[in-house]
Amino acid sequence: MDKRTTHFGFQDVPVEEKAGRVADVFHSVAKRYDVMNDLMSFGVHRLWKRITLERSGVRKGNAVLDIAGGTGDLTRQFAKRVGPTGRVVLADINASMLNVGRDKLIDAGVGHEVEYVQANAEELPFDDNTFDCITIAFGLRNVTDKDKALRSMARVLKPGGRLLVLEFSKPTNALFEKVYDQYSFHVLPRVGQLVANDADSYRYLAESIRMHPDQATLKAMMEDAGLERVEYTNMTGGVVALHRGIKL
Ligand code: SAM
């Protein structure tokens, strides 16, 4: 691959174009994002997020950043956990996703306790050593320079702070992977077309999942970014993995 290009799904695109293309996808899906998540994962994304929340160790008074937080599923639970002495920031590069998220959190009764920041994970606009916990759920896959984003997250974590990366990964069983491929490449774009009138965004979803680093590669990337004691847990046969690292 040419040095100045990167992946956008299965396409090679100039590095400076990727963020704009990803932005188009999420502007397009923002309003239907939550309903599509439930449909595509048969509701299982809720379980993946619940496990992430449990593994986060977030408690009263903590400062938490949910980057690429989109419509705020994790943020909502963090806001309840940290209480009035804590701080929760919902950050996302995309204004449409942040707007849907803010409306949803206000409806859930926690919206006013949350800070909303439009930011790129690669260049987080926070001081060093700010957060006890950072989560990035189904977001890293979309970031152009993942190593830079991981370094940026490590920088703004406090010593002892945790980074949790919840992301699609590589199924551990070859037969199951074949079935999953059929589902991803043939069923998902059709559901996207029917429900959100947008097959392309859901084709990108399937392709971007395949291009994302597998479990061991992402673990090594987190270690290179300065995180320690990095470990991962496969969920749903490796369809999704939760990586967790600590800044010491
Ligand atoms: N975390 C939410 C969840 O789990 O439901 C939303 C995940 S959604 C699939 C991916 C999000 O990543 C989108 O809201 C998108 O705007 C955001 N995103 C993509 N690139 C980003 C970047 N470079 N920095 C911050 N957010 C980004």
Side-chain angles (χ1 to χ4, degrees):
M1 190 170 67
D2 186 288
K3 249 191 151 176
R4 286 158 295 127
T5 66
T6 188
H7 302 296
F8 175 76
F10 288 167
Q11 300 172 46
D12 268 355
V13 298
V15 163
E16 31 330 321
E17 265 181 33
K18 173 154 173 166
R21 299 254 196 142
V22 170
D24 290 344
V25 168
F26 288 103
H27 285 308
S28 169
V29 303
K31 290 225 162 68
R32 295 268 170 172
Y33 178 79
D34 285 336
V35 71
M36 281 298 292
N37 260 359
D38 275 332
L39 270 176
M40 291 180 312
S41 73
F42 309 102
V44 180
H45 75 104
R46 293 166 186 261
L47 177 67
W48 298 332
K49 287 172 179 163
R50 202 176 314 141
I51 293 170
T52 304
L53 202 74
E54 293 315 319
R55 298 289 318 279
S56 72
V58 165
R59 50 181 196 273
K60 269 196 182 26
N62 278 179
V64 183
L65 169 65
D66 184 18
I67 176 70
T71 60
D73 281 348
L74 287 174
T75 297
R76 179 174 48 191
Q77 302 304 329
F78 286 137
K80 290 181 190 161
R81 283 197 179 204
V82 302
T85 56
R87 175 184 184 198
V88 181
V89 179
L90 173 61
D92 199 286
I93 201 169
N94 190 295
S96 304
M97 293 293 280
L98 271 180
N99 284 338
V100 174
R102 189 180 45 214
D103 288 350
K104 194 168 103 182
L105 295 177
I106 288 171
D107 288 348
V110 294
H112 297 292
E113 294 139 41
V114 170
E115 292 168 47
Y116 303 89
V117 177
Q118 190 171 358
N120 185 343
E122 293 172 14
E123 290 166 24
L124 290 169
F126 305 104
D127 291 339
D128 296 0
N129 309 327
T130 300
F131 295 100
D132 298 288
C133 180
I134 300 178
T135 49
I136 180 163
F138 305 111
L140 191 62
R141 194 181 74 244
N142 301 293
V143 172
T144 307
D145 189 337
K146 296 172 185 52
D147 295 312
K148 190 174 176 192
L150 289 168
R151 286 196 301 273
S152 175
M153 291 184 257
R155 178 184 68 75
V156 302
L157 270 181
K158 288 179 188 170
R162 293 86 59 199
L163 170 64
L164 286 93
V165 182
L166 179 65
E167 190 50 271
F168 292 105
S169 205
K170 189 169 169 47
T172 47
N173 177 292
L175 186 62
F176 175 58
E177 189 173 22
K178 283 206 173 114
V179 177
Y180 175 55
D181 269 355
Q182 290 298 318
Y183 172 73
S184 307
F185 288 106
H186 300 292
V187 180
L188 276 190
R190 291 204 178 112
V191 178
Q193 181 59 37
L194 275 173
V195 179
N197 193 25
D198 183 358
D200 288 348
S201 294
Y202 290 92
R203 195 166 300 116
Y204 163 72
L205 169 68
E207 293 180 2
S208 67
I209 289 171
R210 290 308 170 281
M211 299 308 289
H212 191 65
D214 65 14
Q215 288 87 334
T217 309
L218 179 56
K219 178 174 186 274
M221 287 165 69
M222 289 174 69
E223 287 164 348
D224 285 348
L227 293 150
E228 305 204 30
R229 294 197 214 148
V230 180
E231 52 190 21
Y232 62 83
T233 311
N234 284 323
M235 301 185 216
T236 317
V239 165
V240 162
L242 175 63
H243 285 68
R244 183 175 181 271
I246 300 180
K247 174 173 171 179
L248 292 179

